[in-house]
Amino acid sequence: MQPDSVIYRARRQRVLDEMGEGVMVIATAPEVPRNRDTHYPYRHDSYFYWLTGFNEPEAVVVLVGGAQPRHILFCRERNEEREIWDGFRYGPAAAREIFAFDDAFTYDALDAELPKLLENQPALAYIIGRDMAWDTQMMGWLNTVRGKARGGVHAPNKLIDARIWLDEMRLIKDGHELTLMRRAAEISTEAHRRAMRATRPGGHEYEIEAELLSAFRRGGAEAPAYTSIVASGANACVLHYVFNNKPLRDGDLLLIDAAAEFGSYAADITRTFPVNGTFSAAQKDAYELVLAAQAAAIAAVRPGATWIAPHETAVRVLTQGMVDLKLLAGEVDGLIESNAYNRFYMHRTGHWLGMDVHDAGEYKLHGEWRPLLPGMTLTVEPGLYIRPADDVPEAFWNIGIRIEDDVVVNASGCEVLTTPPKTVAEIEDWMRGE
């Protein structure tokens, strides 16, 4: 048994305790073809992995509740020929022992075994509506059970979306998860520091992306947590710019939104800095406005505060700053009420973070913004995106700035996990090699 298997076994038991009688079935992600006979690098399904710690494709976890709970895994059988080509497989017997399951079957046995597990159960929980092929397969197994009605067998009469339990459990990170997230943050922080040092006029966005990817792997990360954004000049005003192919020009800002995934947990960092290492006056004014908004938003992250509080705090600071910089005119309250600030700041100030970079969990409960609790992990990422326009001072044209850090709510406020250089002085000193 792997040491971590105790953690995953305990998670599964928590789910069973919440679910009561019934069966939960969660499949991992399929392999995805890239072209012809090659696949994209495999990445397991987050829900499945959170329950199992098992990272092979073609696997399903089944949890049977009630007086005699069972933890069951379906996975690929050992195959010497395929292992020569594709690598090691655990096989059911080893997987059962190593990952702390009560039973394990081959993946090919699903059609024979799963209907038996659904017989005479009151409820079936799975992730409904995410994958039409999987929905069809689940209905086929249910219909197999229904076909035994004349023999006195009944099928589950209640279908439940498993996310009602899994999302809430994934939202509060345990110590094991936070250890992995801190390491993802450390690797990503070092990557941003290397990227800043490598940036200079005459280079290209893709060269900086290469620095990031190199640092991720050098730090032991499996992969980027998401497609890296390396956006210089006007590109920084495109929120999801991913082409990363333009030259780095003297006098432009460079916005990097990039981070690593470590142990299946994501970091998420954005930094914005001058290509030549020195902020212009307008760049500095805009940057320090976003920095002030982020500082105020981070201060608003604390137990009992609502999810929306950091965003509302950042919006007020940004809107006042837009008036001061003559990007907007009017009273701050009115500009907020009319969403006038949306012209230059059009996204929320954060999102949940965990195994997925936009992680599981509802933002509202019963129509109200949910309160923050210790163990919740989120990003704080205000921004300012100023496109050229007749009513915008020319010095601010094509300035795009976002500053993003990862924080975990604790008993007294929050802990900031990500620490690349952030103030104007820190950035300029670092880029000078100091």
Side-chain angles (χ1 to χ4, degrees):
M1 182 184 298
Q2 291 183 343
D4 291 349
S5 65
V6 175
I7 295 170
Y8 296 106
R9 174 92 187 189
R11 287 179 187 169
R12 296 194 296 271
Q13 191 57 51
R14 282 176 59 203
V15 173
L16 286 169
D17 292 343
E18 287 286 328
M19 183 176 69
E21 291 190 353
V23 177
M24 180 179 290
V25 183
I26 305 294
T28 197
E31 293 181 288
V32 179
R34 184 181 186 275
N35 54 24
R36 199 167 175 85
D37 60 352
T38 64
H39 290 77
Y40 285 103
Y42 182 69
R43 207 282 190 176
H44 44 258
D45 175 78
S46 294
Y47 290 105
F48 174 87
Y49 190 84
W50 187 85
L51 288 166
T52 66
F54 189 78
N55 64 1
E56 293 182 12
E58 295 186 307
V60 175
V61 59
V62 180
L63 303 180
V64 181
Q68 296 181 315
R70 295 171 67 194
H71 303 220
I72 302 167
L73 180 71
F74 290 82
C75 66
R76 300 180 304 183
E77 61 185 337
R78 297 297 305 272
N79 183 312
E80 183 177 352
E81 180 180 358
R82 290 316 313 165
E83 289 182 54
I84 290 171
W85 288 92
D86 302 327
F88 173 78
R89 297 179 178 187
Y90 284 99
R96 180 182 63 247
E97 178 66 25
I98 293 169
F99 294 91
F101 282 92
D102 300 318
D103 295 294
F105 300 93
T106 65
Y107 186 76
D108 291 342
L110 269 170
D111 285 338
E113 298 296 331
L114 195 57
K116 299 176 189 176
L117 297 171
L118 296 178
E119 289 180 7
N120 300 318
Q121 291 290 343
L124 166 63
Y126 73 100
I127 298 176
I128 298 172
R130 184 176 63 168
D131 181 334
M132 185 173 293
W134 183 246
D135 285 345
T136 300
Q137 204 164 4
M138 291 301 305
M139 293 307 104
W141 290 322
L142 279 173
N143 286 333
T144 297
V145 181
R146 291 184 183 119
K148 299 182 179 182
R150 291 183 182 179
V153 174
H154 70 80
N157 58 19
K158 183 186 294 185
L159 292 181
I160 306 170
D161 194 323
R163 286 172 287 197
I164 67 171
W165 296 300
L166 299 180
D167 282 3
E168 287 300 298
M169 291 182 185
R170 285 179 57 188
L171 188 54
I172 306 293
K173 294 347 185 238
D174 61 29
H176 174 72
E177 292 176 291
L178 290 175
T179 296
L180 296 173
M181 293 189 74
R182 288 189 179 98
R183 182 57 187 149
E186 290 171 358
I187 295 168
S188 303
T189 292
E190 177 59 23
H192 276 263
R193 292 167 69 88
R194 288 171 59 90
M196 284 184 185
R197 277 274 171 90
T199 299
R200 60 185 57 85
H204 287 80
E205 294 165 347
Y206 55 76
E207 295 177 74
I208 306 308
E209 181 180 16
E211 290 288 337
L212 293 161
L213 297 177
S214 172
F216 294 162
R217 291 298 286 148
R218 185 173 283 112
E222 302 95 74
Y226 51 94
T227 303
S228 300
I229 297 170
V230 184
S232 61
N235 300 330
C237 294
V238 179
L239 299 185
H240 292 161
Y241 173 85
V242 293
F243 299 105
N244 302 347
N245 59 6
K246 300 300 182 186
L248 304 174
R249 301 189 309 174
D250 193 7
D252 280 350
L253 292 176
L254 179 63
L255 184 156
I256 298 177
D257 187 340
E261 180 177 291
F262 179 82
S264 298
Y265 283 81
D268 190 0
I269 302 176
T270 307
R271 287 295 185 266
T272 309
F273 54 92
V275 167
N276 63 16
T278 303
F279 287 88
S280 71
Q283 289 170 348
K284 181 179 178 182
D285 287 345
Y287 184 88
E288 291 189 328
L289 169 57
V290 177
L291 187 62
Q294 197 211 29
I298 290 173
V301 177
R302 58 183 181 274
T306 63
W307 158 261
I308 201 66
H311 176 70
E312 292 175 337
T313 301
V315 164
R316 182 160 293 276
V317 173
L318 286 169
T319 304
Q320 179 63 65
M322 292 176 203
V323 173
D324 296 340
L325 295 178
K326 302 190 182 335
L327 298 174
L328 295 176
E331 295 295 324
V332 170
D333 287 342
L335 293 169
I336 293 174
E337 186 175 353
S338 67
N339 291 322
Y341 67 86
N342 233 217
R343 178 180 175 190
F344 303 107
Y345 178 51
M346 61 291 293
H347 59 79
R348 292 285 188 194
T349 305
H351 52 78
W352 303 130
L353 183 69
M355 294 191 76
D356 301 323
V357 71
H358 286 219
D359 207 36
E362 298 292 339
Y363 293 93
K364 282 187 172 183
L365 294 176
H366 312 298
E368 301 293 332
W369 294 109
R370 73 184 307 153
L372 298 175
L373 298 172
M376 290 180 173
T377 308
L378 56 144
T379 65
V380 182
E381 51 178 305
L384 197 59
Y385 312 94
I386 310 171
R387 294 173 177 271
D390 291 342
D391 59 345
V392 171
E394 189 171 352
F396 293 104
W397 286 9
N398 293 321
I399 287 180
I401 297 167
R402 184 164 61 255
I403 307 172
E404 178 180 20
D405 285 299
D406 307 338
V407 305
V408 55
V409 183
N410 58 27
S412 59
C414 69
E415 172 192 355
V416 180
L417 303 180
T418 44
T419 58
K422 186 161 64 171
T423 69
V424 167
E426 288 171 346
I427 289 170
E428 293 185 344
D429 287 350
W430 177 252
M431 293 186 73
R432 281 196 300 269
E434 297 178 7

